[in-house]
Tab-separated table of all heavy atoms in Angstrom:
chain	number	residue	atom	x	y	z
A	8	PHE	N	25.530	20.014	0.434
A	8	PHE	CA	24.561	21.058	0.589
A	8	PHE	C	24.452	21.823	-0.733
A	8	PHE	O	25.393	21.671	-1.584
A	8	PHE	CB	25.022	22.067	1.679
A	8	PHE	CG	24.986	21.559	3.035
A	8	PHE	CD1	26.152	21.401	3.814
A	8	PHE	CD2	23.723	21.167	3.649
A	8	PHE	CE1	26.084	20.931	5.171
A	8	PHE	CE2	23.766	20.578	4.944
A	8	PHE	CZ	24.966	20.488	5.676
A	9	PRO	N	23.419	22.669	-0.986
A	9	PRO	CA	23.359	23.314	-2.243
A	9	PRO	C	24.729	24.032	-2.568
A	9	PRO	O	25.130	24.853	-1.856
A	9	PRO	CB	22.214	24.330	-2.164
A	9	PRO	CG	21.340	23.581	-1.007
A	9	PRO	CD	22.248	22.863	-0.168
A	11	VAL	N	27.728	23.083	-2.174
A	11	VAL	CA	28.917	22.683	-1.361
A	11	VAL	C	28.964	21.245	-1.131
A	11	VAL	O	27.937	20.647	-0.765
A	11	VAL	CB	28.829	23.399	0.042
A	11	VAL	CG1	30.144	23.210	0.728
A	11	VAL	CG2	28.511	24.891	-0.094
A	13	ALA	N	30.104	19.271	1.429
A	13	ALA	CA	30.690	19.523	2.836
A	13	ALA	C	31.516	18.328	3.309
A	13	ALA	O	32.519	18.534	4.068
A	13	ALA	CB	29.548	19.866	3.757
A	14	ASN	N	31.047	17.144	3.012
A	14	ASN	CA	31.786	15.874	3.398
A	14	ASN	C	31.929	15.071	2.148
A	14	ASN	O	30.874	14.750	1.480
A	14	ASN	CB	31.053	15.172	4.529
A	14	ASN	CG	31.106	15.808	5.807
A	14	ASN	OD1	30.414	15.333	6.729
A	14	ASN	ND2	31.929	16.899	6.016
A	31	GLY	N	40.529	20.682	11.492
A	31	GLY	CA	40.372	21.219	10.092
A	31	GLY	C	40.136	22.627	10.184
A	31	GLY	O	39.716	23.167	11.256
A	32	GLU	N	40.384	23.387	9.137
A	32	GLU	CA	40.177	24.834	9.089
A	32	GLU	C	38.651	25.082	9.118
A	32	GLU	O	37.895	24.129	8.914
A	32	GLU	CB	40.793	25.418	7.846
A	32	GLU	CG	42.218	25.315	7.802
A	32	GLU	CD	42.829	26.290	6.789
A	32	GLU	OE1	43.019	27.491	7.167
A	32	GLU	OE2	43.127	25.808	5.590
A	33	ASN	N	38.317	26.325	9.396
A	33	ASN	CA	36.902	26.769	9.201
A	33	ASN	C	36.358	26.395	7.902
A	33	ASN	O	36.969	26.622	6.909
A	33	ASN	CB	36.748	28.227	9.515
A	33	ASN	CG	36.838	28.615	10.917
A	33	ASN	OD1	36.021	28.123	11.686
A	33	ASN	ND2	37.736	29.470	11.325
A	34	GLY	N	35.115	25.701	7.948
A	34	GLY	CA	34.545	25.342	6.711
A	34	GLY	C	35.006	24.009	6.175
A	34	GLY	O	34.557	23.566	5.043
A	35	ALA	N	35.838	23.342	6.924
A	35	ALA	CA	36.406	22.040	6.394
A	35	ALA	C	35.358	20.914	6.337
A	35	ALA	O	35.439	19.996	5.657
A	35	ALA	CB	37.650	21.534	7.190
A	36	GLY	N	34.314	21.187	7.238
A	36	GLY	CA	33.228	20.070	7.208
A	36	GLY	C	33.182	19.373	8.549
A	36	GLY	O	32.398	18.378	8.658
A	37	LYS	N	33.804	19.773	9.604
A	37	LYS	CA	33.880	19.143	10.852
A	37	LYS	C	32.474	19.057	11.580
A	37	LYS	O	32.017	17.902	11.940
A	37	LYS	CB	34.858	19.834	11.845
A	37	LYS	CG	36.209	20.093	11.217
A	37	LYS	CD	37.161	20.775	12.254
A	37	LYS	CE	36.714	22.212	12.578
A	37	LYS	NZ	36.846	23.214	11.492
A	38	THR	N	31.853	20.261	11.618
A	38	THR	CA	30.495	20.195	12.335
A	38	THR	C	29.493	19.328	11.549
A	38	THR	O	28.729	18.700	12.171
A	38	THR	CB	30.050	21.718	12.438
A	38	THR	OG1	30.934	22.362	13.249
A	38	THR	CG2	28.704	21.755	13.099
A	39	THR	N	29.612	19.560	10.232
A	39	THR	CA	28.552	18.774	9.400
A	39	THR	C	28.765	17.313	9.654
A	39	THR	O	27.775	16.516	9.961
A	39	THR	CB	28.886	19.041	7.864
A	39	THR	OG1	28.824	20.464	7.644
A	39	THR	CG2	27.871	18.232	7.057
A	40	LEU	N	30.035	16.730	9.810
A	40	LEU	CA	30.262	15.325	9.972
A	40	LEU	C	29.678	14.838	11.329
A	40	LEU	O	29.001	13.818	11.388
A	40	LEU	CB	31.773	15.023	9.907
A	40	LEU	CG	32.208	13.576	9.936
A	40	LEU	CD1	31.746	12.864	8.761
A	40	LEU	CD2	33.712	13.427	10.044
A	48	HIS	N	21.779	15.741	10.745
A	48	HIS	CA	21.729	15.722	9.153
A	48	HIS	C	21.687	14.193	8.835
A	48	HIS	O	22.306	13.407	9.492
A	48	HIS	CB	22.954	16.306	8.647
A	48	HIS	CG	23.055	17.800	8.768
A	48	HIS	ND1	21.969	18.634	8.517
A	48	HIS	CD2	24.101	18.627	9.114
A	48	HIS	CE1	22.380	19.865	8.710
A	48	HIS	NE2	23.681	19.866	9.076
A	80	GLN	N	28.591	23.944	19.496
A	80	GLN	CA	29.410	25.159	19.504
A	80	GLN	C	28.479	26.255	20.053
A	80	GLN	O	28.731	27.064	20.759
A	80	GLN	CB	29.808	25.463	18.113
A	80	GLN	CG	31.089	26.162	18.014
A	80	GLN	CD	31.709	26.132	16.545
A	80	GLN	OE1	31.074	25.631	15.671
A	80	GLN	NE2	32.759	26.877	16.486
A	158	ASP	N	32.166	20.259	20.102
A	158	ASP	CA	32.405	21.068	18.925
A	158	ASP	C	33.107	22.371	19.327
A	158	ASP	O	32.444	23.227	19.803
A	158	ASP	CB	31.128	21.324	18.176
A	158	ASP	CG	31.366	21.838	16.779
A	158	ASP	OD1	32.526	22.165	16.447
A	158	ASP	OD2	30.397	21.876	15.929
A	159	GLU	N	34.411	22.400	19.135
A	159	GLU	CA	35.158	23.587	19.445
A	159	GLU	C	34.838	24.124	20.867
A	159	GLU	O	34.492	25.268	21.021
A	159	GLU	CB	34.982	24.711	18.476
A	159	GLU	CG	35.059	24.189	17.038
A	159	GLU	CD	36.102	24.896	16.170
A	159	GLU	OE1	36.688	25.853	16.659
A	159	GLU	OE2	36.274	24.578	14.981
A	206	ILE	N	40.803	16.868	8.369
A	206	ILE	CA	40.005	16.951	7.183
A	206	ILE	C	40.275	18.373	6.570
A	206	ILE	O	40.613	19.267	7.216
A	206	ILE	CB	38.563	16.684	7.255
A	206	ILE	CG1	37.813	17.631	8.244
A	206	ILE	CG2	38.239	15.276	7.789
A	206	ILE	CD1	36.343	17.513	8.333
B	501	ADP	N1	23.031	23.691	6.815
B	501	ADP	C1	23.893	24.099	5.799
B	501	ADP	N2	23.438	24.513	4.609
B	501	ADP	C2	24.270	24.805	3.601
B	501	ADP	N3	25.613	24.818	3.707
B	501	ADP	C3	26.152	24.383	4.867
B	501	ADP	C4	25.245	24.034	6.018
B	501	ADP	N4	26.116	23.587	7.043
B	501	ADP	C5	27.317	23.808	6.624
B	501	ADP	N5	27.337	24.232	5.280
B	501	ADP	C6	28.629	24.433	4.494
B	501	ADP	O1	29.423	23.238	4.497
B	501	ADP	C7	30.697	23.530	4.657
B	501	ADP	C8	31.310	22.902	5.940
B	501	ADP	O2	30.788	23.583	6.972
B	501	ADP	P1	31.018	22.988	8.514
B	501	ADP	O3	30.784	21.612	8.688
B	501	ADP	O4	30.288	23.946	9.450
B	501	ADP	O5	32.578	23.299	8.648
B	501	ADP	P2	33.516	23.409	10.089
B	501	ADP	O6	32.632	22.948	11.185
B	501	ADP	O7	34.732	22.475	9.710
B	501	ADP	O8	33.984	24.895	10.116
B	501	ADP	C9	30.880	25.045	4.592
B	501	ADP	O9	31.096	25.448	3.388
B	501	ADP	C10	29.508	25.540	5.069
B	501	ADP	O10	29.273	26.819	4.520
Side-chain angles (χ1 to χ4, degrees):
F8 293 115
V11 190
N14 290 168
E32 294 198 83
N33 279 303
K37 307 179 294 292
T38 298
T39 302
L40 187 66
H48 291 314
Q80 213 166 359
D158 195 350
E159 313 233 1
I206 64 175

